[in-house]
Amino acid sequence: TSFIVTIPMVSGQGTVSLSLKSNPTILTFENQPYDTSAPTVTSAPFSIDLVRPLLAQVNRQSPSSSDLGQGTATFAAKFSEAVNPSTVNSTSTFRSNLGSIQGVAQASADTWLVTVSGLPNSGTLSLSLNPFAAVTDLYGNVIDTTIAPAPNQTYTINPAPQLLSVIAITPANPLANSVTFAATFSKLLDATSVNASDFILVTTGNVTGSITSATVNANGDAATITVTGLRGSGTVTVNTAVGASITDTFGNNLVPPRSEEHTSELQSR
């Protein structure tokens, strides 16, 4: 004889199985009690998941620091459980308070990398879940959009450092075979990121020479650049090199050099 047993009020997440109580009150048609000495029989367990997923964490991914000096940023959005990849997209799952969602990429079963682009030069950038997001877990439960993630990290947009001016420290002397320049930047620099190869000579005529050193001053926003071995006739100054490794104290890369950078030339013979 078999029976269908319905389990009411199922909730939560986990597994469920069915077995008889230790002292069942089952009687046969002949009014005989159940044989409690018989081996205990338990059904095979089956999984239950009636818990709605949620956006559990929003963390800074790239860059990892809170100071942002570039036009794009990437967040790592971690859900409370694995979600169905087909329900996550760049148009309706997330939203940013600045810029726009450029793309999403799955990093793991529960984590997605969300890139935001088109950012302004200032402000605080945050990422949130679209209140109409239709993300589901692997069992079809729809995401709960009412619970805020924790942590919920943000970026502070701070423009990248750039070269403001270059002035000659060495007094004008057409016979000089070495000169020193002071390059001033818009932000405090990471002194360990600055070296001679971050600068180039800008000359006229047939002037040649070598940049032999570049050191950050005590204030941290300027560098002293020394040029030696000057020969020829014309003018000489310095500029930052394309691909310079200079960064500010938050790790933001230097803005690439422009031809209209303010410089100060020193004449050489």
Side-chain angles (χ1 to χ4, degrees), residues 16-116:
V16 63
S17 59
L18 184 69
S19 64
L20 287 176
K21 291 183 176 180
S22 58
N23 294 301
T25 58
I26 299 174
L27 297 175
T28 67
F29 286 113
E30 293 80 13
N31 207 32
Q32 296 297 315
Y34 180 81
D35 184 2
T36 56
S37 65
T40 301
V41 176
T42 302
S43 70
F46 59 93
S47 298
I48 290 178
D49 185 350
L50 298 176
V51 177
R52 299 173 66 185
L54 53 88
L55 182 59
Q57 299 179 17
V58 172
N59 296 299
R60 292 181 293 270
Q61 177 72 18
S62 178
S64 58
S65 66
S66 61
D67 193 71
L68 181 64
Q70 58 198 48
T72 63
T74 301
F75 291 93
K78 181 179 177 64
F79 295 98
S80 58
E81 59 180 296
V83 297
N84 185 342
S86 66
T87 63
V88 181
N89 58 69
S90 60
T91 57
S92 63
T93 302
F94 303 99
R95 64 180 182 179
S96 60
N97 65 321
L98 299 172
S100 59
I101 305 297
Q102 177 180 326
V104 298
Q106 186 173 9
S108 66
D110 62 0
T111 302
W112 294 76
L113 302 182
V114 185
T115 300
V116 183

Side-chain angles (χ1 to χ4, degrees), residues 166-256:
V166 174
I167 62 172
I169 300 176
T170 304
N173 180 3
L175 300 178
N177 59 14
S178 66
V179 295
T180 302
F181 295 93
T184 302
F185 294 85
S186 60
K187 296 180 65 180
L188 297 180
L189 303 179
D190 176 0
T192 63
S193 72
V194 179
N195 55 68
S197 63
D198 293 319
F199 298 89
I200 59 171
L201 289 180
V202 180
T203 64
T204 62
N206 60 355
V207 174
T208 61
S210 301
I211 298 175
T212 54
S213 68
T215 57
V216 176
N217 67 5
N219 291 334
D221 62 351
T224 301
I225 301 103
T226 301
V227 182
T228 61
L230 287 172
R231 298 181 184 279
S233 177
T235 60
V236 60
T237 186
V238 296
N239 199 350
T240 51
V242 175
S245 63
I246 298 173
T247 63
D248 64 17
T249 53
F250 292 96
N252 297 315
N253 294 320
L254 180 73
V255 172

